Amino acid sequence: MALEKATVDDKIEIVSDYKHLQIRTATVVSEDGNELSRSFHRRVLHPDMDISGESAEIQGIAAAVWTDDVKSAWQTFQEAQANARP
């Protein structure tokens, strides 16, 4: 009777014009190979975030889609939002 807990990024989506990475992490608890429970956590990464603590897979995806043009457009959008606030 061995309990095991595994955490895996099981879904990675690229969303919006700014190529946000939406990541779903699954936590699976199993006993002797039979799944007892599964829970999910979601997070979103933006082009201006530090992703050095993320997995190599996520870093690779970010490097591929977060081009200089995307990063510049995201920064321009952020500045416009800040200036629009009263």
Side-chain angles (χ1 to χ4, degrees), residues 12-65:
I12 303 169
E13 299 172 307
I14 301 166
V15 296
S16 89
D17 293 337
Y18 307 108
K19 310 300 184 202
H20 300 291
L21 299 182
Q22 181 171 291
I23 302 159
R24 183 177 80 175
T25 302
T27 302
V28 181
V29 177
S30 57
E31 180 179 30
D32 297 328
N34 296 314
E35 185 175 313
L36 299 176
S37 72
R38 179 180 294 255
S39 61
F40 299 103
H41 172 78
R42 291 182 184 270
R43 66 188 190 281
V44 177
L45 303 178
H46 307 284
D48 60 350
M49 294 179 77
D50 175 16
I51 58 166
S52 60
E54 298 292 339
S55 69
E57 179 181 27
I58 291 173
Q59 289 182 26
I61 293 168
V65 299

